[in-house]
């Protein structure tokens, strides 16, 4: 009996969580009259239509938006993973006062609302001729992701046995070589950092709006936001745009949800 | 063994790349923003130190300060609604997920329940606007267009998006509760309900402090959802204006308001202090005490 109640409650919440998303996806596959006629009906042979998707892909700026988001997100993840892994290795490895000071500085950054530095960031990007480039976004997002990534990687490096590193050093391995030997042991941490970095970067609206708003540099999130404004009456296209904007991340999250969740709870509850 | 000098050199070599990016693109802009708030930079005679003049305007200028206090109060309400609705919801779901009655479906539920948190606010805003749209008939009342309901409506949309976060925190904490304690309680005849409130709940209690402070930080940095729904013109009679949208309007300008970088810097500094002081006080006064009681 208790089993039934637990499942029933969870199913209600799951429907509440994904119901609205399903409404968007289902309706994106229908004709306009069908969307308004029966918003909660599944598409039938008569009402099924891919017109919305066709219009988004031809009329909008979608392919470019996608490519930009992909470039920005993947590069940010790569930079964040490499830089934070190097830093975290050293923070765990060299137990000197400076290490705990630097570690503290990174922890502090988790709370730092980087968005509030927007005005100087714009001036800086202007001065360095980086305004309205994807590079500006990548640099800001990497800076934004580093504090939590370093803190998280530190907890993973702490689990690596000292013997292994000492053995490597005995064999005359350089510090960089020792680093390479232990990196495979923190692989779950790398996945967690990647999963945790991905979502806020792909979904961010603020910095694309301010640092890279022009048509050729727009990300998906900003592109969809403007699409919503421009094509307010073309519901099939709108719903298709929203679906296309969400699907890749939802899929990736589903794949990496274990890493994501362990990263989230490890990174913050320190 | 590594000599202290070599340790210093190695540490800096490994940490420097991450530190440089973090300092230049996160710490420096914020620090510059704070410095800027004491200057007037838009004048013809270059930068002029004006002391607290920007703050004085922010706090006392009739229209500027009215909007500011309004945004601050709205932001507090925005935070309170998150706290009151999101945290109990997260607790209930975490308790259900770890009730031991789900077997293999636990992971599936957990993943599905977290999906809203993976969506961009553009989608969240649009989906909910569609659902509460009188045209589609679920609600025959303009929830977003009415001054008294707009902020609560937006807050609840945001709660819908992010309830997965407290859920995951409490879920991980519940998983970490030692099994022996639960088993011992069961042997003593405690049921699922009693075990939860008497054994598990006290052990995960410190997590609530952390969730509250993270919710505080995130809601006081809120911007995206309100902007996605309303643009920078915030709700009927500024009813959904929060600090983030106020900041955006101050430094970007909007219809009826000129862009003012220095005032924007002052707003940013005040938001920063609001977040920093409360967070620091929390860690000094509360979290430490909570930690010492937990296992």
């Amino acid at each position: 009996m208790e089993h039934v109640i637990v499942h029933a409650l969870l199913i209600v919440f799951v429907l509440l969580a994904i119901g609205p998303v399903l409404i968007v996806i289902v309706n994106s596959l229908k004709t306009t009259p069908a969307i308004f006629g029966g918003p909660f009906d599944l598409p039938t042979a008569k009402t099924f239509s891919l017109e919305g998707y066709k219009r988004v892909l031809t009329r909008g700026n979608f392919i470019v938006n996608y490519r930009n988001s992909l470039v920005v997100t993947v590069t940010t993840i790569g930079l964040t993973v490499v830089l934070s892994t190097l830093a975290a290795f050293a923070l765990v490895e060299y137990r000197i006062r400076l290490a705990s000071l630097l570690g503290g500085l990174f922890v502090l950054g988790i709370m730092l609302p980087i968005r509030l530095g927007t005005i100087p960031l714009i001036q800086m990007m202007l001065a360095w001729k980086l305004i309205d480039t994807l590079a500006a976004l990548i640099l800001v997002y990497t800076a934004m992701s580093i504090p939590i990534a370093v803190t998280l990687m530190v907890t993973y490096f702490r689990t690596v046995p000292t013997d292994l590193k000492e053995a490597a050093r005995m064999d005359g391995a350089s510090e960089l070589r020792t680093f390479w030997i232990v990196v495979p042991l923190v692989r779950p941490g790398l996945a967690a950092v990647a999963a945790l970095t991905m979502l806020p970067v792909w979904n961010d609206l603020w910095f694309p709006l301010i640092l890279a708003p022009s048509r050729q540099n727009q990300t998906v999130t900003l592109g969809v936001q403007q699409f919503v404004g421009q094509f307010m009456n073309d519901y099939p296209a709108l719903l298709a745009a929203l679906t296309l904007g969400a699907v890749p991340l939802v899929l990736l999250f589903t794949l990496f949800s274990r890493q994501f969740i362990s990263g989230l709870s490890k990174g913050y509850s320190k | 063994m590594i000599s202290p000098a070599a340790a210093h050199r190695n540490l800096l070599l490994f940490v420097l790349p991450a530190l440089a990016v973090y300092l230049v693109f996160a710490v420096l802009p914020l620090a510059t923003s704070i410095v800027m708030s004491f200057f007037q930079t838009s004048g013809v005679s270059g930068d002029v130190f004006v002391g607290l003049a920007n703050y004085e305007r922010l706090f006392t200028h009739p229209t500027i300060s009215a909007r500011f206090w309004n945004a601050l109060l709205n932001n507090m309400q925005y935070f309170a609604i998150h706290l009151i609705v999101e945290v109990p919801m997260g607790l209930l779901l975490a308790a259900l997920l770890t009730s031991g009655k789900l077997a293999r479906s636990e992971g599936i539920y957990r993943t599905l329940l977290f999906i809203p948190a993976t969506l961009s606010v553009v989608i969240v805003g649009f989906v909910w606007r569609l659902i509460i749209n009188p045209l589609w008939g679920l609600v025959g009342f303009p929830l977003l267009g009415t001054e008294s309901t707009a902020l609560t409506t937006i807050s609840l949309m945001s709660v819908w998006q992010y309830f997965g976060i407290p859920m995951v925190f409490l879920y991980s904490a519940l998983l970490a509760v030692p099994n022996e304690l639960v088993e011992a309680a069961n042997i003593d005849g405690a049921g699922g309900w009693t075990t939860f409130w008497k054994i598990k709940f006290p052990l995960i209690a410190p997590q609530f402090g952390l969730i509250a402070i993270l919710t505080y930080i995130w809601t006081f940095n809120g911007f995206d959802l309100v902007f996605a729904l309303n643009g920078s013109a915030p709700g009927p009679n500024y009813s959904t204006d929060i600090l983030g949208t106020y900041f955006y309007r101050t430094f970007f300008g909007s219809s009826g308001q000129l862009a003012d970088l220095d005032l924007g810097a002052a707003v940013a500094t005040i938001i920063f202090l609001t977040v920093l002081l409360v967070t620091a006080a929390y860690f000094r006064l509360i979290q430490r005490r909570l930690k010492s009681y937990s296992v």
Side-chain angles (χ1 to χ4, degrees):
Chain A
M1 190 54 207
E2 267 185 57
H3 285 76
V4 178
I5 296 172
V6 171
H7 277 285
L9 276 171
L10 282 170
I11 289 169
V12 169
F13 276 101
V14 165
L15 287 179
L16 187 68
I18 63 168
V21 186
L22 292 179
I23 292 177
V24 168
I25 298 175
V26 166
N27 281 290
S28 73
L29 299 167
K30 299 189 334 200
T31 57
T32 310
I35 292 174
F36 289 104
F40 303 106
D41 298 343
L42 288 173
T44 61
K46 237 177 101 185
T47 59
F48 180 82
S49 156
L50 288 175
E51 280 301 307
Y53 286 88
K54 230 183 262 171
R55 279 203 294 278
V56 173
L57 293 174
T58 51
R59 216 166 58 181
N61 198 20
F62 231 78
I63 313 285
V64 178
N65 293 347
Y66 246 89
R67 201 204 56 211
N68 291 338
S69 276
L70 214 63
V71 169
V72 169
T73 310
V74 171
T75 318
T76 302
I77 291 176
L79 276 172
T80 305
V81 166
V82 172
L83 299 187
S84 63
T85 308
L86 282 168
F89 169 79
L91 291 175
V92 173
E93 206 48 35
Y94 311 114
R95 295 172 183 279
I96 45 180
R97 238 177 85 78
L98 185 63
S100 51
L101 272 172
L102 291 173
L105 188 63
F106 283 114
V107 173
L108 222 69
I110 298 178
M111 283 167 263
L112 222 57
I114 180 172
R115 191 182 275 176
L116 297 178
T118 296
I119 301 164
L121 265 177
I122 294 177
Q123 294 170 340
M124 209 153 98
M125 295 302 177
L126 274 170
W128 294 352
K129 302 224 175 349
L130 285 173
I131 199 81
D132 208 7
T133 64
L134 297 182
L137 289 180
I138 291 166
L139 288 168
V140 172
Y141 288 144
T142 306
M144 182 174 92
S145 316
I146 277 176
I148 181 82
V150 170
T151 312
L152 188 58
M153 286 316 295
V154 163
T155 66
Y156 280 94
F157 273 116
R158 287 230 172 93
T159 63
V160 175
T162 335
D163 308 1
L164 189 80
K165 290 175 280 194
E166 289 308 319
R169 290 205 182 94
M170 296 282 215
D171 291 344
S174 69
E175 289 304 300
L176 200 60
R177 178 91 196 107
T178 313
F179 168 77
W180 271 117
I181 291 169
V182 295
V183 160
L185 297 175
V186 294
R187 215 179 292 152
L190 304 183
V193 168
L196 215 55
T197 307
M198 169 179 87
L199 286 179
V201 171
W202 182 279
N203 285 336
D204 186 45
L205 185 58
W206 178 275
F207 286 114
L209 190 66
I210 286 160
L211 292 180
S214 76
R215 238 177 110 74
Q216 80 269 16
N217 289 319
Q218 261 174 20
T219 60
V220 170
T221 306
L222 182 58
V224 173
Q225 165 77 7
Q226 300 197 336
F227 202 83
V228 170
Q230 271 166 16
F231 299 98
M232 211 51 216
N233 298 317
D234 188 351
Y235 267 67
L238 259 178
L239 295 165
L242 291 170
T243 306
L244 290 174
V247 160
L249 264 259
V250 172
L251 283 181
L252 276 173
F253 163 75
T254 314
L255 278 175
F256 289 101
S257 74
R258 190 182 300 273
Q259 284 81 1
F260 180 83
I261 283 162
S262 78
L264 196 65
S265 50
K266 262 192 195 160
Y268 282 103
S269 49
K270 276 209 22 155
Chain B
M1 262 326 345
I2 302 164
S3 73
H8 272 95
R9 193 197 57 218
N10 289 338
L11 177 68
L12 285 177
L13 279 178
F14 276 103
V15 174
L16 209 59
L19 190 67
V21 174
Y22 164 54
L23 287 181
V24 173
F25 295 99
V27 178
L28 181 69
L30 243 159
T32 312
S33 195
I34 295 172
V35 172
M36 234 180 115
S37 69
F38 299 107
F39 283 83
Q40 196 193 358
T41 55
S42 47
V44 274
S45 49
D47 298 0
V48 183
F49 181 78
V50 293
L52 293 173
N54 289 319
Y55 292 94
E56 205 185 311
R57 256 192 317 149
L58 184 61
F59 292 136
T60 59
H61 185 281
T63 48
I64 293 173
S65 73
R67 295 273 176 273
F68 171 74
W69 296 120
N70 171 58
L72 183 68
L73 281 176
N74 284 342
N75 221 140
M76 285 170 158
Q77 204 179 326
Y78 189 62
F79 165 64
I81 294 171
H82 275 82
L83 204 62
I84 295 166
V85 186
E86 206 177 86
V87 180
M89 207 166 145
L91 178 65
L92 170 67
L93 291 169
L96 290 173
L97 286 176
T98 53
S99 61
K101 312 217 178 300
L102 296 173
R104 274 152 69 191
S105 48
E106 187 182 318
I108 301 172
Y109 280 126
R110 196 192 59 195
T111 304
L112 289 176
L113 288 169
F114 202 84
I115 282 184
T118 67
L119 302 174
S120 81
V121 288
V122 175
I123 295 167
V124 175
F126 184 82
V127 171
W128 281 103
R129 212 162 34 176
L130 205 63
I131 291 174
I132 63 170
N133 179 349
L135 198 69
W136 271 24
L138 274 193
V139 191
F141 177 80
L143 285 170
L144 280 174
T146 308
E147 204 180 317
S148 57
T149 54
L151 184 61
T152 310
T153 306
I154 292 189
S155 307
L156 291 176
M157 290 178 189
S158 173
V159 166
W160 173 81
Q161 179 170 22
Y162 290 121
F163 72 87
I165 292 183
M167 176 188 86
V168 163
F169 277 72
L170 295 169
Y171 169 80
S172 316
L174 285 171
L175 287 185
V177 171
N179 242 334
E180 304 90 78
L181 286 180
V182 178
E183 277 162 19
N186 288 341
I187 290 168
D188 287 347
W193 186 258
T194 317
T195 314
F196 182 78
W197 288 111
K198 292 271 156 79
I199 311 282
K200 292 181 177 174
F201 185 77
L203 286 172
I204 61 165
Q207 288 285 326
F208 288 102
L210 184 76
I211 291 169
I213 200 69
L214 286 173
T215 308
Y216 177 80
I217 296 171
W218 286 330
T219 48
F220 271 76
N221 281 303
F223 164 78
D224 299 52
L225 184 60
V226 183
F227 184 81
L229 281 166
N230 292 332
S232 64
N237 195 20
Y238 294 90
S239 54
T240 66
D241 199 17
I242 56 176
L243 291 172
T245 44
Y246 180 73
F247 170 52
Y248 180 90
R249 276 204 321 281
T250 312
F251 90 94
F252 247 14
S254 73
S255 51
Q257 192 178 341
L258 287 173
D260 188 333
L261 293 191
D262 304 316
L263 193 65
V267 176
T269 307
I270 292 296
I271 300 177
F272 181 53
L273 286 179
T274 314
V275 172
L276 188 77
L277 292 179
V278 173
T279 312
Y282 164 79
F283 277 106
R284 278 203 77 80
L285 300 174
I286 301 173
Q287 184 67 14
R288 237 182 248 173
R289 224 165 283 170
L290 285 177
K291 273 259 158 79
S292 60
Y293 287 119
S294 69
V295 178

